[in-house]
Amino acid sequence: MLVRYLKAQLTVLLFGGLVGPIFLIVYFALGPMAQPYINWMFWVGLLITAADVLIALWLTNAGVKAAARHQQLTQTGVLTLVSINGISDTSWFVNDQQMIKVNLHFEGPGFAPFDAQETMASSPARMQIINSHHLVALVDPATQKYEIDWGASALIAGTVPAQFTSTSDNRTYDLRGQIGPLMQILQILRANGIAADHVVDLRSNPVAREQVMAVVRQAAGAQPTAAPPAAPVAPPMPAPFLGAPPEPTTAQRLQELETLRATGTITEAEYATKRQQILSEL
C-alpha cells in the first residue's frame, strides 16, 4: 500500500504537482524579510501541495480496488467470448486518439446474458482487434463484473500468430482465424493454471500439452481442402441414424467444472476431486 502511494505521489509530482512544493520552498528560503511580500506564495503552495496529496491518495485507492478486482476475476471469473454489437465515436480525444464507445454482449455458462458499453481509445492496435467483432473477457457470474483480456483478444482476432509446434510429429499448425478451437485452447490453459502469454511451453505439463494438441490436430484436420471436380448429383438418401450425441471433450468438461465452482454450486473439495477424476481419464 505504501509503495503504491509513493508511486502515485511521484506521478502527480512529475505531471505538474511540483509547483506547490516549489512555492513553499521559495517562501521559506527567502526568510522573514521577504515573507510579508510573498505571503500569497505560502497559501497557494500549501493548497497545491494538499491537492497533490489528495490526488495521490485517490489514485492509490483506485489502484488497490483495480488490483483486488483483477485478483477476484482471475480466481473466479469465467473465460467468455464477447460479441461487439456496435461502435460509436465521441467528440473528445486523449493523446491525439479519438475515444470511442463499444457496445458489448456477454453470453456464457453460469450467468445470464447481459450488455455493457466500454469507452476506450481508438489506437491502431486496438482497432485491429475490435474490427474482428469479438473480444475475450473474464466475467464474474455473481456480479457480472468483467475484465477484457486484450492478449487473448488479439489471438482470437488473428492480429498475432496462432501457431502450435508439436515435437512428436515435427509439425507446426496454424490456427489463425479459428475462433472456436482457440477459445478451447485458452480454456484448457486457464483450467491448468497456465498464463496465455505470447509463447507458451507445455513440455513441462504433459496433461495440458496433450489436451491442447488434441484440439489443434482436430482443428487442423477440419480445415477445408481444395474441392474435387463436380460429380453427378446422386438422389438424396435418407438421413442415417446418428445415435446418442457425442461425449463432451475434456476441455468442455473442465470449463463446466470451473463454472460450477465459480457459481458456488460445488465446494472446493468437490471441485478438486472431480478435476482429478477428469484428468485421470485421459
Side-chain angles (χ1 to χ4, degrees):
M1 182 72 175
L2 178 60
V3 174
R4 190 184 295 272
Y5 167 75
L6 293 176
K7 288 182 178 179
Q9 186 67 71
L10 181 60
T11 301
V12 173
L13 292 176
L14 289 177
F15 286 91
L18 283 172
V19 175
I22 289 175
F23 278 11
L24 292 177
I25 293 172
V26 171
Y27 175 81
F28 288 107
L30 292 179
M33 296 295 294
Q35 286 176 359
Y37 303 99
I38 55 173
N39 194 44
W40 63 271
M41 188 174 288
F42 171 78
W43 293 108
V44 172
L46 189 63
L47 289 175
I48 294 177
T49 303
D52 291 344
V53 173
L54 291 176
I55 293 173
L57 289 173
W58 179 82
L59 290 174
T60 304
N61 184 57
V64 170
K65 289 183 177 179
R69 176 183 172 186
H70 174 75
Q71 183 67 20
Q72 178 70 18
L73 285 172
T74 301
Q75 293 177 352
T76 64
V78 177
L79 195 67
T80 306
L81 185 66
V82 184
S83 300
I84 297 178
N85 293 337
I87 305 173
S88 58
D89 297 334
T90 66
S91 59
W92 47 292
F93 292 75
V94 174
N95 295 331
D96 296 329
Q97 293 181 354
Q98 186 177 18
M99 302 299 291
I100 59 174
K101 293 182 178 180
V102 182
N103 299 324
L104 306 174
H105 178 72
F106 295 80
E107 187 170 350
F111 61 90
F114 67 95
D115 296 320
Q117 188 177 76
E118 190 83 10
T119 302
M120 62 188 70
S122 57
S123 65
R126 289 237 172 134
M127 290 307 300
Q128 284 185 334
I129 299 174
I130 292 171
N131 288 334
S132 71
H133 302 292
H134 288 97
L135 296 174
V136 178
L138 282 173
V139 181
D140 187 339
T143 62
Q144 293 188 344
K145 292 182 179 179
Y146 64 89
E147 181 179 276
I148 298 174
D149 188 334
W150 288 103
S153 299
L155 183 68
I156 293 296
T159 60
V160 296
Q163 295 181 339
F164 301 85
T165 301
S166 173
T167 55
S168 59
D169 54 13
N170 195 25
R171 181 179 173 185
T172 298
Y173 301 85
D174 192 346
L175 300 190
R176 180 174 294 192
Q178 299 196 47
I179 296 178
L182 289 176
M183 278 299 298
Q184 291 184 46
I185 292 171
L186 289 172
Q187 289 165 352
I188 291 173
L189 295 178
R190 174 167 170 75
N192 286 274
I194 301 173
D197 297 326
H198 294 291
V199 178
V200 179
D201 190 347
L202 297 178
R203 287 175 294 184
S204 61
N205 193 327
V207 174
R209 181 186 62 199
E210 290 302 320
Q211 293 175 5
V212 169
M213 291 312 302
V215 175
V216 170
R217 293 189 182 99
Q218 182 180 5
Q223 288 180 352
T225 57
V233 180
M237 298 295 291
F241 177 71
L242 299 180
E247 292 292 330
T249 64
T250 301
Q252 292 172 337
R253 294 173 66 189
L254 288 171
Q255 179 61 27
E256 291 175 357
L257 188 62
E258 288 286 342
T259 302
L260 292 175
R261 183 181 69 164
T263 55
T265 306
I266 60 176
T267 64
E268 286 292 330
E270 293 173 337
Y271 165 80
T273 302
K274 187 63 178 175
R275 185 175 183 275
Q276 183 61 35
Q277 178 184 348
I278 293 174
L279 295 179
S280 65
E281 294 174 0
L282 293 175

